[in-house]
Amino acid sequence: MQKLLKANDAIADEIRGALKDKKIFFVNLMSSPGSGKTTLIEETVKKLGKKIKVIEGDIQTTLDAERLQKLGVQAYQINTGPFGGDCHLEAAWIRTAINELGVDGMELLFVENIGNLVCPAEFDVGAHLNVLLISVTEGEDKPLKYPLAFQVSQLCVITKTDLLPLKHFSLEKLRQNIKKVNPDCAIIEVSAHEGTGVERWIEVLKNRPGI
Amino acid sequence: MQKLLKANDAIADEIRGALKDKKIFFVNLMSSPGSGKTTLIEETVKKLGKKIKVIEGDIQTTLDAERLQKLGVQAYQINTGPFGGDCHLEAAWIRTAINELGVDGMELLFVENIGNLVCPAEFDVGAHLNVLLISVTEGEDKPLKYPLAFQVSQLCVITKTDLLPLKHFSLEKLRQNIKKVNPDCAIIEVSAHEGTGVERWIEVLKNRPGI
């Protein structure tokens, strides 16, 4: 396992360097299933246009890639397999996907990682910015229960704020718990459906932290 | 991997048989993080009393076990580890946990599996009933994207129905997608916070399917 991770990290560093040289900003989105990764990418494409390409990670189906292709975005789908399927993406697969997509005309690359808070955090995919999405309906205790996912992320996006206020949920406590496991993690709040907070997200992407 | 799974299945069968002999009904709860597994167990304890024991699976923290212990329930916490952590529970760990909990006075055993829709589906823990919880905020496409988790389950509990109606979500489509990947899966809808549907859930537990 340690050997596998070391090999993965070397490829990830190679990807990070090569994309930086080409001035392509690479963002890795991680979250539970249904936290709003695809929706956030859709909103980003609407605001920033088509110099975006996307690598979609899913156990099965090409549903998310199809959603993005409808917006005219080039999306490459990685399916991790028939038997339950790998719960993460590896740097080597990302390298292949980038080669297939081609770097021409690309300024921003998203990876939408497999939807869970465990395995994706263990595998560096070579991104300049790791983003953890958590929706307000997932509960305020998740940073404490899945700390690694929050620790490897430089930005945490709290999604679905249009559903607030919710019984038995405190946004303030969620923020505190994020800071408890990763004091350096920036936090923004977004409702993609209502457009609230999307501008701050776009601003982060324009600033290109980590590149 | 196949060898590991075969060994796991043998232990799972042993657990299933031993608990059946002792008339202990064993239910495995699987879901994404924050779909409401602990809350559903809490409501069950309030209705059915203390002949329930619980094995809690988490990467880190004993938060869920503590919630249940507050209700006077014996709960055993399995933490799968410091480095990201295993994303599933194995039958061997369940066997140890049952030994630690003791079978005396137990009529119903819950396992709250690690919160994700990928790995727990691959490992039989020896339950008589596998239950998949999905909250209405996770989106209607999840059965198609994580089919194995739905296919190994005999019952699907749709949670957080108090949040309905939601934009961009059709309960009917979610039900259709569940039936598409597993036509035999029974479906019930629950709002644990409002109490709606909890009686049907209790009825299922009283019927003890699979034992």
Side-chain angles (χ1 to χ4, degrees):
Chain A
M1 182 70 180
Q2 289 302 326
K3 234 174 163 178
L4 179 72
L5 284 169
K6 217 175 148 186
N8 182 77
D9 286 354
I11 300 172
D13 282 338
E14 181 195 309
I15 293 170
R16 200 164 11 247
L19 292 179
K20 190 177 176 183
D21 289 346
K22 293 192 189 304
K23 298 188 170 48
I24 298 167
F25 182 43
F26 177 14
V27 179
N28 175 32
L29 301 181
M30 295 177 284
S31 83
S32 295
S35 299
K37 296 184 292 303
T38 316
T39 304
L40 189 63
I41 298 176
E42 285 174 336
E43 293 309 306
T44 309
V45 169
K46 287 177 197 163
K47 300 264 191 248
L48 290 182
K50 292 168 193 168
K51 290 179 173 178
I52 298 172
K53 297 191 185 185
V54 183
I55 300 169
E56 282 292 335
D58 276 300
I59 307 286
Q60 288 193 32
T61 77
T62 53
L63 293 169
D64 289 346
E66 286 161 26
R67 279 173 63 180
L68 295 166
Q69 283 156 355
K70 265 187 205 154
L71 296 175
V73 168
Q74 224 187 318
Y76 181 92
Q77 181 83 47
I78 300 175
N79 280 137
T80 60
F83 176 71
D86 276 305
C87 53
H88 65 276
L89 295 176
E90 292 179 22
W93 312 341
I94 301 300
R95 185 170 54 185
T96 304
I98 293 171
N99 287 338
E100 292 286 329
L101 282 169
V103 294
D104 286 350
M106 169 162 59
E107 289 179 4
L108 175 56
L109 172 65
F110 283 114
V111 158
E112 186 177 332
N113 222 309
I114 310 283
N116 76 81
L117 292 178
V118 187
C119 336
E122 299 173 18
F123 287 82
D124 186 353
V125 291
H128 303 111
L129 180 70
N130 287 314
V131 180
L132 194 290
L133 277 77
I134 179 161
S135 70
V136 295
T137 60
E138 291 172 54
E140 59 218 19
D141 57 350
K142 295 307 163 294
L144 306 178
K145 293 171 88 176
Y146 303 91
L148 191 68
F150 289 83
Q151 282 156 358
V152 300
S153 299
Q154 294 81 44
L155 174 67
C156 186
V157 180
I158 301 174
T159 62
K160 305 194 187 180
T161 54
D162 52 297
L163 296 178
L164 293 174
L166 284 168
K167 274 186 213 170
H168 309 275
F169 173 78
S170 152
L171 185 60
E172 194 41 42
K173 257 195 194 154
L174 174 60
R175 295 179 70 98
Q176 284 168 8
N177 286 338
I178 293 168
K179 290 292 183 186
K180 208 178 273 180
V181 298
N182 183 358
D184 299 327
C185 197
I187 302 173
I188 61 175
E189 291 158 25
V190 161
S191 162
H193 286 164
E194 289 189 346
T196 328
V198 175
E199 271 167 40
R200 272 203 69 193
W201 163 248
I202 297 294
E203 206 179 287
V204 171
L205 294 178
K206 285 184 176 166
N207 286 339
R208 306 185 139 218
I211 190 173
Chain B
M1 182 69 180
Q2 290 303 325
K3 234 176 164 175
L4 180 73
L5 284 169
K6 218 175 147 185
N8 183 77
D9 287 354
I11 300 172
D13 283 338
E14 181 195 310
I15 293 170
R16 200 164 12 246
L19 291 180
K20 191 178 174 181
D21 289 345
K22 293 191 188 305
K23 297 187 171 49
I24 298 166
F25 183 43
F26 177 13
V27 179
N28 176 32
L29 301 181
M30 295 177 284
S31 82
S32 296
S35 300
K37 296 185 292 301
T38 317
T39 303
L40 188 64
I41 298 175
E42 285 174 336
E43 292 309 306
T44 309
V45 169
K46 287 177 196 163
K47 300 264 190 244
L48 290 182
K50 292 167 193 169
K51 290 180 173 178
I52 298 171
K53 298 191 184 185
V54 183
I55 299 169
E56 282 291 335
D58 276 301
I59 307 286
Q60 288 193 31
T61 78
T62 54
L63 293 169
D64 289 345
E66 287 161 25
R67 279 173 62 180
L68 295 166
Q69 283 156 356
K70 266 187 204 154
L71 296 174
V73 168
Q74 224 186 318
Y76 181 91
Q77 181 83 47
I78 299 176
N79 281 138
T80 61
F83 175 69
D86 275 304
C87 53
H88 65 275
L89 296 176
E90 292 179 22
W93 312 342
I94 300 301
R95 185 170 54 185
T96 305
I98 293 171
N99 287 339
E100 292 286 329
L101 282 169
V103 293
D104 286 350
M106 169 162 61
E107 289 180 3
L108 174 57
L109 172 65
F110 283 114
V111 158
E112 186 178 330
N113 221 309
I114 310 283
N116 77 81
L117 292 178
V118 188
C119 337
E122 298 173 18
F123 287 83
D124 186 353
V125 292
H128 304 111
L129 181 70
N130 288 313
V131 180
L132 195 289
L133 278 77
I134 179 161
S135 69
V136 295
T137 60
E138 291 172 55
E140 59 218 19
D141 57 350
K142 295 307 163 297
L144 306 178
K145 293 170 88 176
Y146 303 91
L148 191 69
F150 290 83
Q151 281 156 359
V152 301
S153 298
Q154 294 81 44
L155 174 66
C156 186
V157 180
I158 300 174
T159 62
K160 305 194 187 180
T161 54
D162 52 296
L163 296 178
L164 292 174
L166 284 168
K167 273 185 214 169
H168 309 275
F169 173 77
S170 152
L171 184 59
E172 194 40 42
K173 258 195 192 155
L174 174 61
R175 295 180 70 100
Q176 285 168 7
N177 286 338
I178 293 169
K179 290 292 183 186
K180 207 179 274 182
V181 298
N182 184 358
D184 299 326
C185 198
I187 302 173
I188 61 176
E189 291 159 25
V190 162
S191 162
H193 286 164
E194 289 188 346
T196 327
V198 175
E199 270 166 42
R200 273 203 69 193
W201 162 248
I202 297 294
E203 206 180 288
V204 171
L205 294 178
K206 285 184 176 166
N207 285 339
R208 305 184 140 219
I211 189 173

